[in-house]
Amino acid sequence: MKHHLTLHPTHNLPATRGDDDDDHQVSSVVPVPASLPDTKGKTKTHPANEAGLGDEKNASLLFVGTATVILDHFDRKVEESLRRDLPIITTPHAKEHLAGKGQGEAFTAVYDVDFFEDAMVDVEGAKAVIKVTGMPGKHVPPGVIGTLNDMVGAVPPTNGWMMELGYKDGDDFKCGYRIYISGDTLLVDELKEIPKRYAGENIDLMLIHLGGTTIPSPAMPLLMVTMDAEQGLGLVKLIDPDLTIPIHYDDYDVFLSPLEDFRKKMQEAGLQDKVVYLDRRDRGYLSLCLFSYLLQQKATMGLKAVHFGGGNIGRGFVAEKLHLAGYEVVFVDVMDSIIDQLQKTKEYTVTEIGAEGEKVNTITNYRAINSKTHEQDVIKEIASADLVTCAVGPNVLKFIAPVIGKAIDKRTEPKPIAVIACENAIGATDTLAGFIKDSKNTPQDRLSSINDRARFANSAIDRIVPGQKPDAGLNVEIESFYEWVVDKTPFAEHGHPDVSAIKWVDDLNPYIERKLFTVNTGHAAAAYYGYARGKKTVDEALSDSDINKLVHDCLGETSNLIVKKHGISTDEQKAYVEKIIKRISNPYLKDVVERVGRAPLRKLSRKERFVGPASQLAESGDKVDALLGAIEQAFGFVDVEGDEESTELSKILKSNGAKDVVAKVCGLEESHPLFDKILPIVEKVQKSVK
């Protein structure tokens, strides 16, 4: 950090100097000006020239803070009227000009910030902090002209700004809202460093300078010194902000590229929903940013989520999205090695992998508790938390229910805690809630009021986490695509948790079954067929035309069920299937078939990815041949090293009659129409199991 300024809220001086204003220095604690100066420059149209607003105001001054001015050039009237001890954060070049004036005219509190240097502005007695970082920028493109300009300095240097609105957390700075101001720059290579520096960090808003400023004029455009529409689109793609607001595109008579050109470029690129166009009467767009930030802080400041399961899905998916939503995450697990690593490590990375490349998010602001040895600490955390999630596996839900039940019973918060199980199982949260409400875990006289303390919402999650590198530690590599859909109806008048990654719906069932019977069915079928035929990874299996067709046939049958049951169109479901096949064929994931196929007992159970859709189709007399083929491969997934369920499946096949195996593993009654279709499959597999 190059500079640190502290605002003193009890000192309230005007930004402009009065007649008796003497030239005097300021300390590191600076006063807050009460108002901004009137300005007037040679602008073509002023941004706030509305009846009743008084004097005109220059656009550049919309970046003036209460005590700190952040801009790259002054209107002459502004420069003359500002108080000389008003703190200003600006460029090294501008500092030379502002601080180098004669006696009585020099600015005495100018803080220069060069590219990627920063200044911290905080408020005495408060947690609020603004971090200002200089961003690269260039008026003159590289090449001969740029070299000549470096020599003679005909066109002055420029820059951009990153403004991070946040708060102090001990000695650390936590950003809540990040605004990138491009400044009057061209789209030059130096700007590529920005997304690298902020990898894994969200840029909420970009104020982009456009217009294609030309020298000497649009009538004779010898040199363009600011971005036109094409370059503006390029910067939007490079920075990838949540929202873009174009500014400074027609204030003067030197602009060649009208705003309409940029609007068309964004429309053609399919980015029209990521830009807001403000009219000149829409005053105070910095206020809009601040208002958005305050809303976000109100929603997220101090939010806490307790997450059960420190595995790859927990760290790489659920905790990642909760962290990005502003939550502190408290991990709970019984694995000593995982908890020890989380307690000793302040951050880890989640690398999202897709065909378009990699994106790295750095996860911080978490703690970890071993529930095996510190159950009371877990109860205390849940009792004051906003959200409980888990990714432990459906069979483990009954083991985490007791501590959650005890914690819910101790809650006194006015808003009930949200409980969301993130498992590959239908109705996993209902299952968890059932265990929690058991008399062993919740006093029965408290059941009638449990909704005052907790609300339970089912979810459907979809994200592929491949096998990790041996030396990965806590770091996780994960598929870039994800879907996290949650039923919003249990929250009713209290409102659901504010997690932007979650899609909140009124009817979850179509999402659950479509995901389970497409993604999970296809993924597992590819793994089991691949394992049987000696393939190492899922993408290798699906590159085999025979396996690819077998998997497509399976999903053709499940699609038949999904279309009929949930009213999804045939074309939509077909497109969804192709998208899923493409996803699980991603060679960058290197998804080993043994990992995907593990836990065959669960995958062959009554409501799961094979027997679940096949049983419903059989009940309506529909074709299930392809699903039966996949079921056969799953029954053959036995005695796989490192997979306890495959060993248990082998024992069941060896020690039970075929009918008992079907009943025990698949949960089917002999009267069910699917029972007699699976029976010969089990008899066949039993002959091959030694």
Side-chain angles (χ1 to χ4, degrees):
M1 179 178 62
K2 187 172 183 179
H3 301 295
H4 186 182
L5 293 78
T6 301
L7 307 184
H8 198 304
T10 61
H11 295 176
N12 195 18
L13 299 177
T16 53
R17 54 182 179 177
D19 295 336
D20 58 348
D21 191 33
D22 295 326
D23 183 33
H24 58 279
Q25 300 289 335
V26 292
S27 67
S28 61
V29 178
V30 298
V32 182
S35 60
L36 301 178
D38 296 330
T39 68
K40 184 166 182 174
K42 295 181 180 179
T43 57
K44 183 172 68 174
T45 307
H46 294 284
N49 190 14
E50 182 179 353
L53 289 180
D55 292 337
E56 298 166 320
K57 296 180 175 65
N58 184 281
S60 64
L61 280 182
L62 290 179
F63 299 110
V64 178
T66 56
T68 305
V69 183
I70 306 169
L71 50 137
D72 58 2
H73 63 274
F74 278 134
D75 178 284
R76 182 174 299 173
K77 185 178 179 183
V78 173
E79 185 174 327
E80 292 173 352
S81 62
L82 285 175
R83 206 180 72 232
R84 263 33 195 174
D85 66 345
L86 179 69
I88 300 170
I89 296 176
T90 188
T91 65
H93 176 266
K95 178 180 178 179
E96 291 180 11
H97 169 75
L98 295 170
K101 294 178 173 293
Q103 182 67 25
E105 291 301 316
F107 287 85
T108 60
V110 184
Y111 301 87
D112 61 313
V113 174
D114 211 340
F115 299 163
F116 298 113
E117 293 180 343
D118 54 61
M120 201 74 76
V121 183
D122 59 25
V123 178
E124 188 173 276
K127 291 181 68 176
V129 177
I130 301 176
K131 182 180 180 182
V132 182
T133 306
M135 294 290 109
K138 272 190 175 182
H139 270 318
V140 183
V144 176
I145 297 177
T147 303
L148 289 173
N149 187 68
D150 291 340
M151 296 172 60
V152 301
V155 181
T158 188
N159 74 311
W161 299 103
M162 192 72 76
M163 291 178 58
E164 296 174 272
L165 314 179
Y167 60 95
K168 290 175 287 189
D169 183 11
D171 294 331
D172 297 330
F173 169 74
K174 303 291 186 182
C175 179
Y177 197 89
R178 186 174 286 110
I179 306 169
Y180 169 52
I181 306 169
S182 72
D184 284 342
T185 183
L186 295 170
L187 183 62
V188 292
D189 287 343
E190 286 83 350
L191 275 71
K192 294 178 181 178
E193 182 67 19
I194 297 174
K196 293 179 183 177
R197 296 265 183 153
Y198 291 87
E201 303 291 341
N202 194 57
I203 295 178
D204 300 276
L205 174 66
M206 176 166 70
L207 303 179
I208 184 170
H209 289 221
L210 294 173
T213 306
T214 56
I215 296 177
S217 71
M220 189 168 56
L222 300 181
L223 180 65
M224 187 172 72
V225 295
T226 65
M227 289 179 290
D228 61 6
E230 184 69 34
Q231 291 193 24
L233 174 62
L235 186 63
V236 171
K237 291 181 177 179
L238 176 67
I239 301 299
D240 190 27
D242 288 348
L243 182 67
T244 295
I245 298 178
I247 61 172
H248 200 37
Y249 47 80
D250 67 350
D251 303 68
Y252 301 91
D253 294 319
V254 291
F255 293 105
L256 185 65
S257 179
L259 182 62
E260 187 59 32
D261 288 356
F262 180 71
R263 194 190 302 266
K264 289 178 181 177
K265 291 289 184 183
M266 292 291 283
Q267 183 79 29
E268 291 168 0
L271 297 172
Q272 65 274 11
D273 293 335
K274 299 192 70 175
V275 61
V276 170
Y277 302 97
L278 296 180
D279 294 332
R280 295 197 172 278
R281 292 174 183 267
D282 296 335
R283 294 184 292 146
Y285 43 80
L286 182 55
S287 298
L288 172 65
C289 306
L290 292 170
F291 180 64
S292 299
Y293 167 62
L294 290 172
L295 285 179
Q296 178 173 328
Q297 288 301 295
K298 182 179 179 181
T300 63
M301 184 72 77
L303 290 181
K304 179 172 67 177
V306 176
H307 176 77
F308 284 80
N312 294 331
I313 283 286
R315 299 195 314 278
F317 183 8
V318 182
E320 178 205 31
K321 298 307 178 187
L322 293 175
H323 167 77
L324 293 175
Y327 285 76
E328 177 193 25
V329 178
V330 180
F331 287 100
V332 178
D333 209 307
V334 295
M335 295 290 291
D336 296 338
S337 58
I338 288 288
I339 293 298
D340 288 346
Q341 286 187 76
L342 287 166
Q343 289 176 341
K344 294 175 181 177
T345 309
K346 287 189 175 181
E347 63 181 40
Y348 65 88
T349 61
V350 175
T351 303
E352 300 180 349
I353 303 172
E356 67 281 1
E358 297 184 357
K359 178 182 178 183
V360 180
N361 289 322
T362 300
I363 311 304
T364 58
N365 193 28
Y366 60 80
R367 293 180 285 119
I369 302 173
N370 191 325
S371 58
K372 181 173 57 179
T373 57
H374 293 77
E375 181 180 280
Q376 289 304 314
D377 290 343
V378 177
I379 292 172
K380 182 179 178 181
E381 294 292 347
I382 296 174
S384 60
D386 302 277
L387 174 63
V388 170
T389 56
C390 66
V392 294
N395 295 334
V396 182
L397 294 175
K398 60 186 175 184
F399 298 111
I400 68 173
V403 67
I404 298 176
K406 293 174 185 176
I408 289 174
D409 196 53
K410 288 184 176 297
R411 281 183 65 85
T412 58
E413 299 288 328
K415 185 175 181 179
I417 192 170
V419 180
I420 303 172
C422 306
E423 311 289 350
N424 272 325
I426 294 175
T429 305
D430 285 344
T431 302
L432 175 60
F435 290 130
I436 290 172
K437 294 175 183 179
D438 187 278
S439 59
K440 296 191 295 288
N441 301 320
T442 298
Q444 294 303 288
D445 61 344
R446 299 278 284 167
L447 279 181
S448 61
S449 62
I450 194 170
N451 277 351
D452 296 333
R453 297 181 295 280
R455 296 295 172 96
F456 302 89
N458 285 311
S459 74
I461 62 167
D462 181 7
R463 201 174 201 184
I464 297 172
V465 184
Q468 304 296 304
K469 297 174 182 176
D471 60 348
L474 293 176
N475 299 334
V476 181
E477 291 186 344
I478 198 165
E479 177 193 25
S480 57
F481 175 90
Y482 74 90
E483 190 172 56
W484 188 1
V485 188
V486 180
D487 181 7
K488 70 179 181 182
T489 57
F491 301 104
E493 71 279 7
H494 294 285
H496 58 69
D498 186 9
V499 181
S500 60
I502 294 177
K503 180 176 182 178
W504 301 95
V505 298
D506 292 312
D507 184 4
L508 187 65
N509 287 331
Y511 295 93
I512 291 179
E513 289 207 335
R514 186 174 77 158
K515 184 266 176 179
L516 184 62
F517 297 163
T518 307
V519 181
N520 298 95
T521 301
H523 208 198
Y528 289 137
Y529 274 113
Y531 178 79
R533 300 190 185 194
K535 309 296 184 182
K536 292 182 179 180
T537 60
V538 171
D539 66 283
E540 182 185 346
L542 286 168
S543 67
D544 183 309
S545 59
D546 288 340
I547 296 178
N548 193 292
K549 182 179 184 305
L550 289 166
V551 173
H552 268 94
D553 289 345
C554 280
L555 299 187
E557 291 178 356
T558 60
S559 292
N560 181 31
L561 172 66
I562 292 165
V563 168
K564 288 182 177 179
K565 185 174 181 180
H566 298 296
I568 297 172
S569 72
T570 301
D571 289 343
E572 181 184 347
Q573 177 61 17
K574 183 178 180 180
Y576 183 70
V577 167
E578 293 307 317
K579 180 175 75 172
I580 298 310
I581 294 290
K582 183 178 179 181
R583 280 177 56 207
I584 63 179
S585 301
N586 185 351
Y588 298 101
L589 294 176
K590 296 180 173 55
D591 219 354
V592 179
V593 294
E594 288 86 352
R595 188 203 73 82
V596 179
R598 67 188 176 191
L601 285 174
R602 175 168 62 85
K603 291 179 170 69
L604 283 167
S605 62
R606 179 68 173 80
K607 294 182 179 180
E608 264 284 347
R609 62 206 70 194
F610 296 124
V611 177
S615 63
Q616 295 183 57
L617 288 165
E619 288 167 5
S620 59
D622 287 309
K623 185 170 175 283
V624 293
D625 295 349
L627 285 168
L628 290 171
I631 289 171
E632 180 178 341
Q633 303 307 309
F635 268 110
F637 192 80
V638 295
D639 295 320
V640 178
E641 185 178 355
D643 182 16
E644 294 180 0
E645 282 199 16
S646 70
T647 302
E648 180 63 22
L649 175 58
S650 177
K651 292 178 181 178
I652 292 172
L653 287 167
K654 293 174 183 177
S655 60
N656 291 272
K659 288 186 176 182
D660 289 337
V661 171
V662 176
K664 186 173 184 177
V665 174
C666 301
L668 293 170
E669 311 82 15
E670 282 194 52
S671 59
H672 195 282
L674 187 62
F675 189 95
D676 287 340
K677 296 179 184 294
I678 295 180
L679 186 61
I681 289 173
V682 172
E683 292 171 341
K684 178 182 176 182
V685 173
Q686 283 180 316
K687 292 177 182 178
S688 64
V689 176
K690 298 178 182 179

